[in-house]
Amino acid sequence: IHRLNVHYSNSLLKKKILSAEIESLKNPQDLSSSPRLDELREENAKLKYRLNILKRSLQEERTYCSKSMMNINQRLQEVFGEAIRASCPELDNPPLAVTPNQQAKFGDYQCNSAMAMAQMLKAKGIKVNPREIAEKIVQNLPDNELTQKTEIAGPGFINIHLKRSFVSKLLSNLLINGVQPPPLASKKRVVVDFSSPNIAKEMHVGHLRSTIIGESMSRLFEFLGHDVLRLNHVGDWGTQFGMLIAHLQDKFPDYLTVSPPISDLQAFYKESKKRFDEEEDFKKRAYQCVVRLQSKEPDFIKAWNLICDVSRREFQKVYDCLDIQIIERGESFYQEMMTEVVKEFEEKGLLQLDEGRKVVFVPGQPIPLTVVKSDGGYTYDTSDLAAIRQRIFDEKADVIIYVTDSGQGTHFQVVFAAAQMIGWYDPQVTRVEHAGFGVVLGEDKKKFKTRSGDTVRLMDLLEEGLKRSMDKLKEKERDKVLSQEELIKAQRSVAFGCIKYADLSHNRINDYVFSFDKMLDDRGNTAAYLLYAFTRIRSIARLANIDEATLRKAAETTEVILDHDKEWKLGKCILRFPEILQKILDDLLLHTLCDYLYELATTFTEFYDSCYCVEKDRQTGEVVKVNMWRMLLCEATAAVMAKGFDILGINPVQRM
């Protein structure tokens, strides 16, 4: 009983003390006199300090232990996003704007959110000076591994200075692990529809743009870790095959047993078209051939396959030159599916009859889709609807990109809207996009044609490129220093690299002027300049007798010093690569990568002119000193350039 009484008395005492604590907390003027509260405050400060150290070490571990390249801009957005939300909790989705600083003297990056936030607060009836908001943002910045200091300038710009040690460690990471893509949130199934020539017709310069742009987009998605399916939606079905088969039967009656020697399919197509336009009997036979082909009669399927194979061999010559891997899946692939598409639209009450045709009107769209012609046949609209349906449901695509000329923009806009209307996909979940491009112009600023006014054959164009690149190499007397094998490699690298780069370095939305003279010029933003620059960078270590094993060892043991302004500028430029790729992923504009590679090459030249990588004896020419950290900067520049070239589909050579 005595023990119980003591326990009860102690409990009452504790209760009184706690009640007094609570009362003092209710009166702010008494707060300062609570020793227990002071203890708690001190404990809280210690915990906060330890938490910040833990956070920072976790950030550093994430940064330096990961093999992936860090997107510095994205990381800064995380840091400043946290500060912005803490500064203005009353704003929903406050604007987050972090960009590289255009002038080095003001820092490395800049956060420009304060002005836009002030406008948003003003709209809510709260008047705040943007500079005050900027100060709040800076005060709320969490401890992080990458910022050295921040400064507020002008009306509320926040200039951000990166830690040199942070940039140096990221460069070492890149040198040890190679150019690795940033971490992937989720692997997506990506379908890229490009090239798409027509059977029995020559590939022309318009197909060149689609082929080059589509391949480069595919390479970008692949490098970033996605699962890419490249599709060639060739025109391999339709009424034109009736006249081609009828002409084949007349010209090569034994085509079923002896393979017809069709060397020029373009001429063969023109002959059959002439007969179709001029001979009534031939025209009737051509229509009968179409019906029998669509009924899948074996002899007619064989004739169709023969014609397709001749075209495929011609297309493959182009694809081999340009190093294109693509799966052919032409209009014929979707024939059976078209019936299902028409049936589905019909069952959902989305078809209307219009002068014998079955059409789909999509609200808000300028034109209807014709899914069945008045003669019962299907159209491009039907095959494109069948294709998008197959890609969504069978291929399980998360992203579908169509790379065709901008003239088809409206058509695809209506096809996508119809696919959404019928419930095939939700644009918030599945990304379906038409990446349109402008036309190729001649130097006279008119559509690119031959002197006789014909469309330029793509193979002729590529062969002309080979001839001109060899002339250029001989003009530089490279034939005197390179072996025959090296010379041929350099010729192909320059010819096809220049043709690809000339296309990709222009904003794809605009028309561009095709000029061999400009693209083979080794001055300015051209592949010729970049390929020569890359070869020079690669040769620095070779000329200093430093082998790859030595460079690998140095990457692990040598700190990349960034004390000189030009070292610092180059180091930051190298590390912008992931943010450049992210921008292209968002807008599918590949010229951004070309601009970046040109900036990287010119920044490297500035560095190389100002900072000695290798010091030689002036009399003997012998290497007396190697500044290894600068050799590592050369190596990092070359590694990023090589990966950039790979995404653009350009094959650099070791010697040029």
Side-chain angles (χ1 to χ4, degrees):
I1 290 166
H2 175 70
R3 278 181 189 166
L4 281 171
N5 285 335
V6 170
H7 180 70
Y8 180 67
S9 299
N10 286 342
S11 295
L12 282 173
L13 187 65
K14 279 183 180 175
K15 193 176 177 184
K16 277 181 185 172
I17 292 167
L18 279 171
S19 297
E21 287 271 352
I22 290 163
E23 281 307 311
S24 68
L25 286 171
K26 283 179 184 173
N27 299 307
Q29 64 269 24
D30 298 337
L31 285 180
S32 55
S33 61
S34 168
R36 178 78 181 121
L37 192 62
D38 288 344
E39 273 177 46
L40 287 169
R41 278 178 176 152
E42 198 176 324
E43 188 65 28
N44 193 33
K46 283 177 185 173
L47 285 170
K48 267 188 177 174
Y49 176 71
R50 281 159 64 189
L51 182 65
N52 282 336
I53 288 175
L54 193 62
K55 268 187 182 175
R56 200 179 312 136
S57 65
L58 278 170
Q59 284 164 359
E60 286 182 6
E61 197 174 323
R62 183 178 73 173
T63 303
Y64 307 130
C65 296
S66 165
K67 288 187 176 182
S68 304
M69 279 188 81
M70 177 191 274
N71 183 332
I72 295 175
N73 196 319
Q74 214 165 53
R75 179 74 189 106
L76 283 169
Q77 287 187 33
E78 287 171 18
V79 170
F80 276 80
E82 197 177 317
I84 285 166
R85 287 188 294 276
S87 308
C88 278
E90 63 270 41
L91 285 183
D92 297 325
N93 295 319
L96 177 58
V98 178
T99 54
N101 222 325
Q102 296 308 308
Q103 294 184 59
K105 63 180 178 182
F106 295 131
D108 308 310
Y109 284 81
Q110 195 173 68
C111 175
N112 304 331
S113 298
M115 285 72 76
M117 288 166 73
Q119 288 297 319
M120 286 175 80
L121 288 167
K122 192 178 175 184
K124 284 176 170 271
I126 308 164
K127 198 174 179 186
V128 190
N129 186 320
R131 220 181 146 87
E132 283 175 41
I133 297 171
E135 281 162 7
K136 261 191 180 181
I137 293 169
V138 169
Q139 284 161 15
N140 280 291
L141 279 175
D143 270 5
N144 62 82
E145 77 283 22
L146 72 168
T147 60
Q148 180 69 44
K149 63 172 181 175
T150 52
E151 295 164 334
I152 298 166
F157 300 114
I158 303 170
N159 290 324
I160 306 158
H161 297 259
L162 298 176
K163 286 180 183 170
R164 297 205 175 209
S165 58
F166 164 78
V167 171
S168 174
K169 281 177 184 169
L170 287 187
L171 288 165
S172 295
N173 200 9
L174 182 156
L175 287 155
I176 292 163
N177 299 309
V179 182
Q180 301 296 334
L184 193 63
S186 63
K187 187 173 184 170
K188 291 185 161 59
R189 174 75 161 160
V190 181
V191 173
V192 187
D193 175 328
F194 67 96
S195 195
S196 312
N198 289 311
I199 295 289
K201 291 184 181 176
E202 294 279 5
M203 281 182 81
H204 57 76
V205 80
H207 296 119
L208 178 70
R209 291 212 78 183
S210 175
T211 306
I212 290 171
I213 295 166
E215 172 66 17
S216 188
M217 282 181 187
S218 301
R219 284 167 177 255
L220 172 66
F221 278 103
E222 273 172 345
F223 171 64
L224 293 171
H226 299 293
D227 175 22
V228 178
L229 176 64
R230 297 164 167 81
L231 289 183
N232 198 358
H233 191 81
V234 297
D236 65 351
W237 202 254
T239 51
Q240 77 271 27
F241 281 94
M243 67 183 193
L244 288 164
I245 292 168
H247 190 51
L248 181 77
Q249 290 170 336
D250 292 347
K251 200 164 182 181
F252 305 104
D254 56 354
Y255 73 91
L256 289 170
T257 51
V258 180
S259 189
I262 305 170
S263 56
D264 188 346
L265 199 56
Q266 187 84 347
F268 187 84
Y269 181 89
K270 282 180 180 173
E271 287 166 16
S272 66
K273 182 78 173 80
K274 189 172 187 290
R275 290 184 68 192
F276 185 84
D277 291 340
E278 294 173 4
E279 300 172 28
E280 200 55 42
D281 285 352
F282 180 81
K283 195 174 197 173
K284 281 179 187 167
R285 270 184 52 228
Y287 280 129
Q288 285 163 5
C289 288
V290 173
V291 173
R292 296 178 79 175
L293 174 64
Q294 288 174 341
S295 304
K296 296 200 165 54
E297 288 187 28
D299 289 2
F300 288 82
I301 290 291
K302 177 155 190 186
W304 172 72
N305 271 323
L306 283 168
I307 292 162
C308 289
D309 283 343
V310 176
S311 265
R312 281 189 195 107
R313 285 194 293 275
E314 290 303 308
F315 298 160
Q316 199 54 47
K317 287 178 191 172
V318 171
Y319 297 145
D320 287 347
C321 284
L322 298 174
D323 192 19
I324 307 293
Q325 306 294 323
I326 191 165
I327 293 168
E328 184 187 306
R329 200 176 277 178
E331 291 168 16
S332 60
F333 178 84
Y334 303 101
Q335 285 307 299
E336 306 298 323
M337 302 173 202
M338 292 193 211
T339 314
E340 290 299 311
V341 164
V342 174
K343 189 178 165 193
E344 192 175 336
F345 272 92
E346 214 148 21
E347 284 172 353
K348 292 192 176 173
L350 298 170
L351 280 191
Q352 293 181 32
L353 272 174
D354 179 56
E355 296 178 1
R357 301 174 305 148
K358 288 182 180 176
V359 298
V360 176
F361 282 95
V362 185
Q365 295 304 318
I367 50 169
L369 293 173
T370 300
V371 292
V372 184
K373 294 188 289 187
S374 52
D375 65 2
Y378 297 137
T379 67
Y380 286 127
D381 295 349
T382 333
S383 67
D384 277 332
L385 284 168
I388 196 170
R389 182 173 178 261
Q390 192 273 341
R391 290 161 188 181
I392 291 163
F393 295 108
D394 297 357
E395 297 302 340
K396 306 280 190 286
D398 302 297
V399 180
I400 310 171
I401 295 164
Y402 293 78
V403 186
T404 75
D405 66 277
S406 296
Q408 296 184 52
T410 304
H411 163 73
F412 281 113
Q413 178 188 313
V414 184
V415 168
F416 301 162
Q420 287 172 50
M421 179 177 77
I422 200 167
W424 290 346
Y425 80 95
D426 174 358
Q428 300 299 317
V429 178
T430 309
R431 179 182 181 183
V432 181
E433 208 165 320
H434 175 234
F437 54 80
V439 297
V440 182
L441 306 173
E443 295 195 61
D444 57 0
K445 306 282 169 67
K446 292 178 182 170
K447 262 198 170 182
F448 196 46
K449 303 268 184 187
T450 61
R451 284 202 180 121
S452 59
D454 291 330
T455 306
V456 178
R457 285 179 71 243
L458 202 37
M459 212 52 223
D460 291 346
L461 195 77
L462 297 176
E463 280 162 8
E464 174 73 8
L466 283 169
K467 181 187 164 298
R468 288 192 184 226
S469 76
M470 183 57 86
D471 292 346
K472 192 81 179 173
L473 288 163
K474 285 181 176 174
E475 185 189 304
K476 287 178 160 286
E477 299 189 331
R478 303 312 294 158
D479 53 326
K480 291 176 183 170
V481 290
L482 299 176
S483 69
Q484 187 60 24
E485 189 188 348
E486 286 175 329
L487 189 64
I488 296 295
K489 274 188 177 174
Q491 177 197 23
R492 291 179 72 84
S493 173
V494 171
F496 303 141
C498 285
I499 289 170
K500 288 179 180 182
Y501 193 86
D503 193 317
L504 295 168
S505 61
H506 290 84
N507 185 326
R508 65 171 162 79
I509 295 162
N510 301 334
D511 299 344
Y512 96 97
V513 175
F514 190 97
S515 163
F516 273 123
D517 290 338
K518 279 184 188 166
M519 62 179 71
L520 289 165
D521 193 343
D522 53 16
R523 294 159 302 176
N525 189 3
T526 66
Y529 168 76
L530 288 175
L531 286 165
Y532 286 123
F534 178 78
T535 308
R536 274 200 310 277
I537 297 167
R538 276 278 187 240
S539 70
I540 295 165
R542 192 172 66 244
L543 295 171
N545 298 316
I546 300 168
D547 59 16
E548 279 189 33
T550 307
L551 284 167
R552 268 200 306 275
K553 181 80 178 140
E556 291 169 6
T557 56
T558 307
E559 183 191 355
V560 181
I561 301 165
L562 302 165
D563 290 344
H564 194 287
D565 284 352
K566 300 300 180 187
E567 292 169 340
W568 179 236
K569 186 180 178 183
L570 179 61
K572 289 185 298 173
C573 189
I574 291 165
L575 295 176
R576 275 199 14 248
F577 188 54
E579 59 195 73
I580 296 295
L581 299 187
Q582 183 57 52
K583 185 181 183 308
I584 302 165
L585 201 63
D586 295 340
D587 61 22
L588 303 177
L589 296 171
L590 288 150
H591 68 276
T592 308
L593 178 54
C594 300
D595 291 345
Y596 166 75
L597 289 175
Y598 180 60
E599 183 191 341
L600 182 58
T602 52
T603 304
F604 177 83
T605 303
E606 285 177 27
F607 153 79
Y608 193 66
D609 289 346
S610 306
C611 305
Y612 287 115
C613 298
V614 179
E615 295 177 35
K616 294 182 179 181
D617 185 290
R618 288 189 178 172
Q619 268 75 43
T620 63
E622 280 183 40
V623 174
V624 291
K625 186 183 177 190
V626 173
N627 293 318
M628 192 53 84
W629 78 93
R630 288 177 178 163
M631 294 304 300
L632 292 175
L633 276 170
C634 297
E635 215 31 43
T637 304
V640 168
M641 282 184 83
K643 182 47 71 181
F645 284 148
D646 187 50
I647 290 167
L648 297 173
I650 293 169
N651 298 317
V653 287
Q654 290 301 319
R655 297 190 67 202
M656 191 179 281

